[in-house]
Amino acid sequence: MKEWLTFGAKVMAATFAVVAVIALAIWIDLHETDARDIASIRAMARLAPLPYSARDIHAKRFLGRGDTGYCLKFAAPPAAIDIFLSGSPGVLVAKLEKLTTNHKLIHEPNYDVQSTSNDALFLDTRFTNNAPWFIPPVITNGRKYHLKSTEQMQSGYIIVDDTRHVVYIYATLG
């Protein structure tokens, strides 16, 4: 009986070790994927490194109808966000649109709907449905930078929620 318990304990220990190694490999792969996705979107949109104080960082690569896109979200103190933006060459040539109570960003799940007035910007969510953390709430105090197309990037934008101090970045390659 004592030998069986010893054998059983060895099997349990070996099983636990295998499960732990698999879990560690998955954790490393997920974090490396985030790092690769962040590096890709930074290169495409010509962005500075994320602020050291950035937190709640999420990144995802997705495949759409004929294109590949990336979305990235992070929170940071207002001064760190401003330093990030001013240090990003892609932002320096971007068209800025202010978000206010009269001109706000609204999440629109049906991307075919077009705004008939100038009081709302509808967020195209064709690609972000697999990243629910990316869909911002209604933003009435913020900025939207329309990034200029480059050889690396077909289209993109940066949305800054100046109330919650959260940055949303979206870029696609054609």
Side-chain angles (χ1 to χ4, degrees), residues 41-57:
I41 196 169
R42 282 190 50 235
M44 284 172 50
R46 300 179 321 138
L47 301 175
L50 298 187
Y52 178 73
S53 57
R55 61 192 187 289
D56 191 25
I57 301 168

Side-chain angles (χ1 to χ4, degrees), residues 3-20:
E3 288 178 24
W4 180 83
L5 288 175
T6 304
F7 176 75
K10 288 178 183 178
V11 169
M12 282 182 61
T15 303
F16 177 77
V18 167
V19 169

